[in-house]
Amino acid sequence: METWDPTTKSTLTQIPLLSVKAGPRDGAAWTQRLKEEYKALIAYTAMNKSKDNDWFRISAANPEGTRWTGKCWYVHNLLKYEFDLQFDIPVTYPATAPELELPQLDGKTQKMYRGGKICLTVHFKPLWAKNCPRFGVAHALCLGLAPWLAAEIPILVDSGMVKHKDDTAASSESSDVKAV
Amino acid sequence: MDEELLELQRQFEFAQQAKSSIRLSERNVVELVQKLQQLEIIDFELLHTSSGKEYITQEQLRSEIVSEINKRGRVSLIDLADTIGVDLYHVEKQSQHVVSNDSSLVLINGEIVSSSYWDTVSEEINERLQECSQISLAEIAAQLQVGSELIVSVLEPRIGTLIKGRLEGGQLYTPAYVARVNAMVCGAARGIAVPMNMSAWWSSLQVLLQDMDGFSGVAVESSFFQSLFNNLVKGGEILGSLRAGVHWTPSVLIDQFVYIHWLSSYILVYLAYMSSICQVFAMAQKKCVESFFSQNSFISYETLHKLGIPQPIQYLQSRYPEGKALDTVFVHGSLIEMLDNSVDDAVECGSWIVSLTILPTSFTPQDASKVLSFCPTVQRALKSGKAHVLGESYILSDTFVKHLFDSIQKEMENISLSGHSAVVSSDTSHDNSSNLADQDEYGNQSGIGKSAPEKGSKKKKGKSAVNVKGGSAESGMELQESTKKKQKKGKVNPGAQVSDPKSGAKKDTERLDQPSFLSEKSLIQKIMSMIPDLEEQGLDDPETVLAPLAQHLRPMLLNSWMERRKAAFTENAQQMKQLLDDLQRKLDEAFLNIQLYEKALDLFEDDPQNAVRSLLILMVLLHKHLLRTAATPIVDTLLVHLDKHCKLKNGFQLEGSQISEPVAMSSADRISLAKGLPGSLSVKAIELVETLEGKLVEAFISTARELIEESGLISKKLDKKLERTLLHSYRKDLSSQVAAESDPVSLLAKVVSLLYVQIHGKALQAPGRAISVAVARLKDKLDDSAFKTLQDYQRAAVTLLSLMSSATGNVRRRLYVGQNIEPEGAPRGFDAGVEEYSYKILTGVGSVSLHTLTGKMLVSLFCFFVVFET
């Protein structure tokens, strides 16, 4: 896989960087870290919205903020494909990047580890390591998940591995379909 | 949990819940608009900008165009398309719409121009016009970049309102300028007195205008002049008739003074320009000329030229018949009269006058001389020879000139008389006048006697010596020849050249005909020193005054000088003749004598004993003696006479005819004299002098004969008859001398000579040393007693002589040996033998006193003589 496209890079630079180096077990320092994570996420979300490029919803699943859950989606051929998104903050965070999971796509693509954890580019890890502790969750989403979705979803859709929910006749989720 | 964290969580939630903005791409928008038009929701025409990013409605475009025009007044459509950013097609379309709706706008050549723009332009033009007084439309059009027709159409309605001026023939003029040109035209029209072609008129006016306006002047079209002129004619300001539209004939000259004052400069130019003169100007000229002429009684042509009169002489002569025309001025009779009077005065008083000083300063020398030719007195005086006109303006009365001439002549004589010692250089010394030559010759003559001229330098000494020697050696033939030569020369160089270039003083005589003191320069100096007035006059330029005077006097002076020389020459000729006669006479005698004496030498030559050495010496002695005694005077007289003759020929005057008797001259003297003689004569003369030094009388006689013949004289040859008469006279002479002789020694010589004449019929001239031999030779011819007496006498004489010389010391040497008579290779005992012999004589008669000896000698000789006679 190539390096990131220019749009990704420019976006990444606009996300505020973090400063506190603390993992989930660091107590108060982690709280501080968490605050910074939120701030970065808010800025990233606002940025996406202003560019009409909103593509995920996440929220902390536990009070410590070590588990996150949410949804992410991708529009292909005017059809919105939406997937669940979950990930844990590893103990060695921020030295180790969080492993983003798309459990719905588990076993459907090669670019994924067991359990739905997405495979990142070779460039990701060194970049992350280099920018520890300045990169946070927002950066991981921007650098990891967004390119992955853009690359894999069209393939998955074209190969028929992933079908739009309208086609699957899941009427319960029809409200999520958007047609322009 | 941290509150802040919660707050952040909430904020994050809120941010995620917020509606994301919706963005449409351009493509979408264009599609939308197309959809709208399709659906006929937009029912009007939409234009888009040239960039393709904007839609614009027609109304908006129009309003933008109008605002642009309002802003700038004049807009080009292309510029408009650029500034609004709409395609030119739409802009043009809408512009036409705009212009058609607004009457104040005009669309010309792709430009929209509002009338307000023209107003402002007109104002600008007006401002400039007021500054420059005239502008050409072409200039304006070029400046505004519009067609000149458009300019005309635009300006015409504004002239008189916005533009204060007048449009004529493509030019704008201010009223003032029009008035000025109008005045010019009017002035010119009034100034014209002859029919005139209009086009020429206009062109000259144009030149004038351009001159006035200088470089920036714009050519005024002739139509402008024409229209102004037409107006003037119509208005009756100028009167005349216009023929064929181009020929103007003025009728009268009205009120010209007004415009003369008003337009005097133009008029003057025109008057000069046109060949004919208007009356007023003529009058002014006349007045001016009249006043000047009457005041000064002369007027120069130049003045008239300045007044514009082209032919002043005719003009003046027609007006003033009493005046005279000169080279550069015209004079009235009164001026001539005045000059005439003053000249008359000067002539009467025997003075001189410079006409230029009397005449006004503007007179040139040519004029002055011409004026003089008009003066009756001058003419009369010139005719009668009472006055001389020199250097064009100098009038000298005859008496004055004569006075000058006399004084110079006198001075000249003074110079001549004062001779060499004066300033005059040596080349002028012997030629200036007879007086001078006499003086010179006299000096030379005296120089002979005193061996050196008293007053001369070394150079002069040499010269005088030459003169003297040359004089004696001239003869008649040479005279004839030289006179012939002179006649020839005289033709070539009449009167002036008397000198023969061959003559001794060559270098000097060649300059004789132009004596330095008569050169112009020296004459001028002389005149200046004599008459200081003249010097003052000619102080600035002495040449003008004195040079002519000197030139006038010089030929006269030269003439008089020449006459003197001629007179001197004729005198000389007589003297020369006399001189030559004298010389001939003297020569005849002497030459015959020497020939006679030479014959006597033959006696010794045919002697058998001739072979003996001692007799050879005797012969040498005899020859030498003869040469010394008889030949030397001949040579001397010959040389002196020839020299004198030479000098006479060169124009010297000799003092009287007497030639001084030959004095003792050294051989060097003779040589120098001989060298002073001309040409071949000199060669012969030198030869002669050399033979004189030799030992052969025959050689001498032959060379002497040659010289005599060369110098044109006759050398007489001795014939029998002549010899006899000569011998007879010689004998008589000798016997009378013997009778009168009192000196015993010379008596002996004479007696011996007489005896030789008696016995041999030959005239012997023997030196004292040869006497004894001569006496010995007579031994056979005389009877013993007589011979004895003679021998005794001879011995006694020798004794006497030896005694006399012993009284002074050196005895024997003086008597017998002489100086160097012992010939080379003589036997050893020669000298000793002579000495012994003489000693015997001396001892033999030693006891006899000198006195008794003399008395005894006389007695014995007398006895002998008596015996002999019987």
Side-chain angles (χ1 to χ4, degrees), chain A residues 110-123:
Chain A
Q110 296 165 338
K111 304 282 179 72
M112 192 172 273
Y113 302 107
R114 189 90 42 93
K117 290 170 185 165
I118 59 167
C119 287
L120 295 173
T121 67
V122 286
H123 305 292

Side-chain angles (χ1 to χ4, degrees), chain B residues 81 111 148 179 185 249 253 263 338 369 542 660 719:
Chain B
E111 284 183 317
S148 55
V185 171
T249 315
L253 307 161
L263 279 176
M338 184 185 80
S369 70
S660 58
D719 54 1

Side-chain angles (χ1 to χ4, degrees), chain B residues 609-662:
Chain B
Q609 286 176 313
N610 205 10
V612 179
R613 273 272 157 76
S614 59
L615 276 176
L616 203 66
I617 299 162
L618 178 77
M619 282 306 289
V620 171
L621 264 177
L622 285 172
H623 275 275
K624 276 211 160 184
H625 176 72
L626 198 53
L627 283 173
R628 201 163 49 240
T629 52
T632 309
I634 294 177
V635 173
D636 288 354
T637 37
L638 198 57
L639 286 176
V640 170
H641 275 76
L642 278 177
D643 185 53
K644 274 198 183 160
H645 179 253
C646 248
K647 277 192 192 150
L648 279 173
K649 219 162 46 171
N650 295 342
F652 292 100
Q653 253 189 0
L654 298 178
E655 181 83 347
S657 59
Q658 94 270 17
I659 305 280
S660 58
E661 286 307 308

Side-chain angles (χ1 to χ4, degrees), chain B residues 478 481 502 674 677-687 706-707 710-711:
Chain B
E478 175 61 21
E481 276 176 27
K502 278 183 190 174
L677 291 173
S680 61
L681 267 180
S682 153
V683 179
K684 293 265 161 74
I686 289 166
E687 231 173 89
E706 272 174 41
L707 177 62
E710 176 76 29
S711 60

Side-chain angles (χ1 to χ4, degrees), chain B residues 282-301 304 307 309 311-326 329-334 336:
Chain B
M283 261 159 64
Q285 277 179 336
K286 200 176 159 191
K287 259 189 189 171
C288 186
V289 171
E290 219 163 68
S291 65
F292 190 90
F293 193 61
S294 61
Q295 277 170 21
N296 301 310
S297 68
F298 79 92
I299 187 161
S300 76
Y301 301 143
L304 292 193
L307 285 169
I309 298 168
Q311 288 168 315
I313 302 177
Q314 282 88 324
Y315 179 86
L316 288 168
Q317 271 174 345
S318 63
R319 253 160 254 257
Y320 307 102
E322 77 276 15
K324 300 278 183 198
L326 302 180
V329 290
F330 190 83
V331 289
H332 192 258
S334 61
I336 296 176

Side-chain angles (χ1 to χ4, degrees), chain B residues 54-162:
Chain B
E54 288 168 300
Y55 285 102
I56 186 169
T57 61
Q58 292 176 341
E59 280 79 16
Q60 177 64 25
L61 182 59
R62 265 178 236 159
S63 72
E64 278 185 24
I65 288 172
V66 168
S67 71
E68 198 70 17
I69 291 167
N70 286 341
K71 209 156 65 184
R72 311 219 324 236
R74 174 184 170 180
V75 195
S76 141
L77 288 184
I78 296 162
D79 290 346
L80 211 54
D82 277 349
T83 47
I84 298 172
V86 182
D87 193 59
L88 182 62
Y89 168 76
H90 299 295
V91 171
E92 277 177 352
K93 213 169 162 189
Q94 296 311 313
S95 300
Q96 276 165 1
H97 198 261
V98 169
V99 170
S100 62
N101 282 346
D102 191 347
S103 61
S104 67
L105 298 181
V106 196
L107 183 62
I108 315 143
N109 296 334
E111 284 183 317
I112 303 168
V113 189
S114 69
S115 60
S116 63
Y117 171 75
W118 288 127
D119 287 343
T120 54
V121 164
S122 299
E123 274 169 34
E124 278 173 29
I125 290 172
N126 189 44
E127 275 172 28
R128 262 183 65 197
L129 185 61
Q130 301 315 318
E131 274 176 30
C132 309
S133 77
Q134 109 279 41
I135 309 173
S136 81
L137 283 185
E139 197 184 332
I140 297 170
Q143 207 173 20
L144 298 177
Q145 293 173 323
V146 289
S148 55
E149 287 157 31
L150 172 66
I151 285 286
V152 172
S153 68
V154 167
L155 291 184
E156 257 171 354
R158 287 175 178 82
I159 282 170
T161 54
L162 278 174

Side-chain angles (χ1 to χ4, degrees), chain B residues 250-288:
Chain B
S251 54
V252 265
L253 307 161
I254 322 152
D255 201 14
Q256 284 165 347
F257 289 105
V258 177
Y259 73 79
I260 282 174
H261 180 68
W262 182 37
L263 279 176
S264 56
S265 63
Y266 305 149
I267 278 183
L268 273 176
V269 170
Y270 272 90
L271 291 180
Y273 195 83
M274 291 174 248
S275 60
S276 121
I277 305 153
C278 89
Q279 235 181 337
V280 174
F281 188 66
M283 261 159 64
Q285 277 179 336
K286 200 176 159 191
K287 259 189 189 171
C288 186

